[in-house]
Amino acid sequence: MRIEILGSGVSGLCCAHAFVERGCEVTVISASDALDSTCCSWWAGGMLAPGCEGENTEPLIASLGAESMAFWQSIAPDYATAGTLVVATSRDQPLLNNFARNTQGWQTIEGEQMAGLEPDLAERFNKGLLFSDEAHLDPRQTLNQLIDDLKNSGVKFEQGQIDDSPGNDYSSSELASDVDWVIDCRGLGARHHLTDLRGVKGEMLHIHSRDIHLSRPVRLLHPRIPLYIVPRANGVFMIGATMIESTERKHASVRSVLELLSAAYALHPAFGEAEILEIGVEARPAFTDNLPRLRRRGKTLSVNGMYRHGFLAAPAMARRCVAFALDGIIPTEVMDENTA
Amino acid sequence: MPASLTSPSSKGLRLYGSEFASRFLIGSAQYPSPAILLDAIAASEASIVTVSLRREAGNSKGAHKEAGEGAGQQFWSLIQQSGARLLPNTAGCKSVKEAVNTAHMARELFSTPWIKLEVIGEDDTLQPDVFGLVEAARILCAEGFQVFPYTTDDLVVAEKLLAAGCEVLMPWGAPIGSGRGLNNPFALRALRAHFPDATLIVDAGIGLPSQAAQAMELGYDAILLNTAVAKASDPVAMATAFAQAIDAGHRAFNAGAIEPRDMACPSTPVLGSPFWHADHD
């Protein structure tokens, strides 16, 4: 069976993996020739935190997340299962109580335990919540590894723009005439096709510091945005991420960057001396309920609406996509359109 | 019949010449998803929804303007599906100039003269800068805006806002998002007594339905809140709870409450009854 996948972000690559594993002939078509900064996945936090995300997401994300984590554990080169630590500044302690009330799977960490987990934070934070079942990975390293694996398995990668002007259906065009299924994983690139898709702008930073060591992602509770700092290799930290109802994806605002940096500084003043490596901005594709969807129109299967849960949802969505395309199994929990 | 039963306040909520059935104005920020926001608006039965545009609109005059009339257009269109009237706000503005510019942008984007005017003076309490607020209100009223100023419970400031042309005042109950309820019921009562004809809306600081009911029992015309619903574990259920409390408080005010007293006052007359039949309920 011939499968063409549009988009080479985390959704497209996970779908390619799932189809090639079932013996399909897979081509990935992408606007860029490699994984780069034009893709949301490039800027992802790489946190696999279904417990923390449960604070304001439907249980579906947690169940997709559990499946996806097993997948990443089997392929990600630096998959780390150190959990997630959630803390709040003293004035924001009520936020910590709220967070605890709205989530499950945590244990309270106090005093000495904090010193054992994250010695650099123990002086400043004497209480936190540890979600010990959670994990994290480096998105860029992981996806580049996945691309190499896919190439070795015979997946072809082609660069090309898809004409998505209204009324133009790629899957019924000449270009896709000998393809059995077109799997559309373009995120916001498909928004003329999926009109209920919207953008949620996110800004993030990479900084470098040798003065601080963190063993796991730390969430610093903030009244408006989910702030987190994820340690990467070699003293690099990712700080994310704002959530703004906007499709704008080119410019990070001064205010957002200030907010992210002051969060890092509040976590530990030594971050004040860190080097800023990168400022990133993207718009996440989301449907109205912020949940991912599988939609079939003719021979096009759209996998979209990953919102802030690309890594948490993509492998599980890819499995459902393959089960539908090859075995006819309808994943009712994520499929809201099935038009032959 | 007591005056309160025939006064305009026993009918709908009047705002700059328009009348609204609901006395609940609800904010649209911080919900888990737009779908839950829409359900919460429906449950609240609110006729008016506030929207912030400062961050969502981006720099709409700048080179990166996208998606037609502002990059947040899709989100605003979703809110408009609720059928509620939009009240754009200047949340996050810290100077007169910023607030006035944001109001202009709002008028352009939403084709409405309404603007919820916020000029924030202090970061820790998000307290209004009342001097900037009065100045911005003067400018905007003169330009034909219908201004809903977010203010403190200060009487003199309220007077100046009314003199500037505001017909609606929105004093805080407590700092934004604090959920503390009415920090100073005395001042809110005094404000109501001084300005019996102005539309007074408690905006900010409400955490519980009982606090919203308390403000309505003081004779306030409406309640504006956001965080207490958006950040509740079940925003839709909380929106219903607030709608009922606001309605209950309003009905109680119109019904005319009894004056509290120190000694018991039997509800059944005891004169002429044998003492062993005296009721104590």
Side-chain angles (χ1 to χ4, degrees):
Chain A
M1 193 171 270
R2 285 207 58 200
I3 306 292
E4 224 164 61
I5 292 172
L6 312 182
S8 61
V10 65
S11 288
L13 297 176
C14 286
C15 284
H17 187 275
F19 277 105
V20 84
E21 213 174 40
R22 291 284 302 271
C24 298
E25 189 186 324
V26 178
T27 306
V28 176
I29 301 175
S30 168
S32 50
D33 64 345
L35 186 70
D36 66 15
S37 64
T38 60
C39 167
C40 277
S41 308
W42 181 256
W43 300 110
M47 288 179 302
L48 300 165
C52 289
E53 291 300 313
E55 192 219 356
N56 53 14
T57 54
E58 307 282 332
L60 174 67
I61 294 299
S63 61
L64 296 176
E67 273 178 53
S68 297
M69 286 169 79
F71 172 79
W72 292 122
Q73 190 157 25
S74 70
I75 73 141
D78 63 343
Y79 186 91
T81 50
T84 305
L85 181 64
V86 181
V87 295
T89 59
S90 55
R91 59 184 279 173
D92 284 334
Q93 283 304 306
L95 294 178
L96 196 64
N97 300 338
N98 277 343
F99 197 88
R101 193 187 72 208
N102 291 327
T103 51
Q104 291 172 335
W106 48 264
Q107 61 191 100
T108 305
I109 298 298
E110 276 170 307
E112 283 300 300
Q113 292 168 297
M114 185 69 90
L117 278 175
E118 296 290 356
D120 285 351
L121 298 185
E123 270 180 40
R124 304 178 54 78
F125 298 91
N126 57 21
K127 193 179 168 198
L129 304 173
L130 178 69
F131 291 75
S132 52
D133 296 336
E134 300 189 339
H136 67 284
L137 49 74
D138 182 328
R140 296 178 190 179
Q141 207 183 330
T142 302
L143 294 185
N144 279 323
Q145 173 75 51
L146 185 53
I147 290 171
D148 287 346
D149 293 351
L150 292 172
K151 284 180 177 165
N152 290 335
S153 314
V155 173
K156 286 194 277 268
F157 284 79
E158 288 177 11
Q159 192 181 356
Q161 286 283 356
I162 304 301
D163 178 6
D164 194 41
S165 47
N168 189 54
D169 177 14
Y170 172 78
S171 66
S172 59
S173 70
E174 187 68 20
L175 287 166
S177 56
D178 56 345
V179 172
D180 295 292
W181 287 103
V182 174
I183 314 296
D184 188 347
C185 302
R186 287 175 298 157
L188 276 184
R191 74 171 185 269
H192 298 300
H193 191 56
L194 305 170
T195 51
D196 52 343
L197 201 62
R198 74 187 203 286
V200 181
K201 181 178 174 178
E203 292 137 306
M204 56 79 77
L205 297 157
H206 275 122
I207 61 173
H208 176 261
S209 171
R210 286 283 177 202
D211 299 330
I212 301 163
H213 177 81
L214 296 178
S215 303
R216 55 186 56 72
V218 176
R219 294 192 181 218
L220 178 63
L221 296 180
H222 176 285
R224 288 185 305 281
I225 57 175
L227 273 172
Y228 51 82
I229 299 192
V230 189
R232 306 264 195 251
N234 305 317
V236 175
F237 297 85
M238 184 236 176
I239 312 171
T242 54
M243 303 278 283
I244 300 170
E245 288 287 345
S246 171
T247 50
E248 200 276 314
R249 59 207 284 193
K250 294 193 186 82
H251 302 267
S253 76
V254 169
R255 179 177 165 157
S256 293
V257 173
L258 277 173
E259 217 152 7
L260 296 172
L261 287 175
S262 71
Y265 190 73
L267 200 67
H268 202 296
F271 276 124
E273 300 304 318
E275 300 152 0
I276 297 175
L277 303 177
E278 262 185 314
I279 297 175
V281 54
E282 249 304 341
R284 313 164 180 94
F287 291 112
T288 309
D289 56 6
N290 293 342
L291 295 175
R293 291 276 196 294
L294 187 62
R295 275 185 193 165
R296 178 200 180 185
R297 288 176 192 168
K299 65 175 181 179
T300 299
L301 271 175
S302 295
V303 183
N304 215 319
M306 294 293 153
Y307 183 50
R308 46 183 277 124
H309 301 125
F311 278 79
L312 205 49
M317 289 297 287
R319 279 176 61 174
R320 283 157 180 73
C321 186
V322 169
F324 176 79
L326 304 187
D327 309 322
I329 299 170
I330 296 173
T332 49
E333 76 279 24
V334 294
M335 192 155 192
D336 66 348
E337 186 176 335
N338 184 3
T339 317
Chain B
M1 179 160 293
S4 62
L5 290 187
T6 53
S7 73
S9 66
S10 65
K11 298 175 189 153
L13 172 66
R14 285 194 73 75
L15 300 168
Y16 289 102
S18 304
E19 194 164 304
F20 298 88
S22 166
R23 292 175 179 276
F24 187 0
L25 290 77
I26 193 165
S28 58
Q30 304 185 69
Y31 289 80
S33 70
I36 292 174
L37 163 63
L38 287 177
D39 288 348
I41 294 173
S44 74
E45 296 178 9
S47 333
I48 296 161
V49 177
T50 61
V51 287
S52 79
L53 73 157
R54 198 142 182 291
R55 307 190 92 189
E56 281 74 10
N59 177 5
S60 81
K61 293 202 172 87
H64 59 269
K65 184 176 173 182
E66 279 189 17
E69 294 175 296
Q73 190 61 46
Q74 229 168 338
F75 179 64
W76 300 324
S77 304
L78 275 171
I79 300 174
Q80 271 161 332
Q81 282 175 19
S82 71
R85 178 153 174 185
L86 298 191
L87 171 57
N89 69 31
T90 64
C93 291
K94 293 187 174 175
S95 70
V96 173
K97 193 177 167 200
E98 263 183 301
V100 168
N101 286 345
T102 305
H104 288 158
M105 205 194 294
R107 183 161 66 180
E108 211 176 295
L109 283 169
F110 299 112
S111 312
T112 174
W114 279 15
I115 188 75
K116 180 189 163 190
L117 183 60
E118 285 185 29
V119 183
I120 298 300
E122 210 275 322
D123 275 339
D124 276 333
T125 57
L126 297 177
Q127 176 161 349
D129 166 3
V130 292
F131 304 97
L133 181 69
V134 171
E135 193 184 332
R138 270 195 206 114
I139 296 169
L140 293 171
C141 288
E143 290 180 7
F145 280 92
Q146 295 173 343
V147 178
F148 296 63
Y150 165 60
T151 181
T152 63
D153 48 29
D154 187 290
L155 274 180
V156 181
V157 173
E159 217 149 48
K160 288 184 190 298
L161 288 168
L162 293 171
C166 299
E167 292 177 20
V168 177
L169 297 177
M170 306 215 290
W172 63 354
I176 295 174
S178 67
R180 300 191 62 84
L182 309 185
N183 263 356
N184 192 349
F186 167 79
L188 290 173
R189 189 182 288 121
L191 210 56
R192 177 73 283 180
H194 270 73
F195 306 109
D197 299 325
T199 300
L200 298 184
I201 301 174
V202 167
D203 172 12
I206 301 283
L208 286 169
S210 55
Q211 297 160 350
Q214 188 194 358
M216 295 305 287
E217 287 162 6
L218 291 177
Y220 275 71
D221 294 289
I223 303 292
L224 196 165
L225 58 87
N226 185 346
T227 310
V229 168
K231 301 297 260 185
S233 300
D234 183 344
V236 180
M238 193 58 94
T240 305
F242 270 106
Q244 292 176 355
I246 290 165
D247 185 51
H250 181 63
R251 283 170 189 273
F253 175 70
N254 282 335
I258 59 161
E259 286 299 316
R261 43 176 286 152
D262 290 338
M263 294 299 157
C265 176
S267 54
T268 310
V270 291
L271 193 69
S273 309
F275 69 89
W276 57 89
H277 283 164
D279 269 332
H280 295 286
D281 53 354

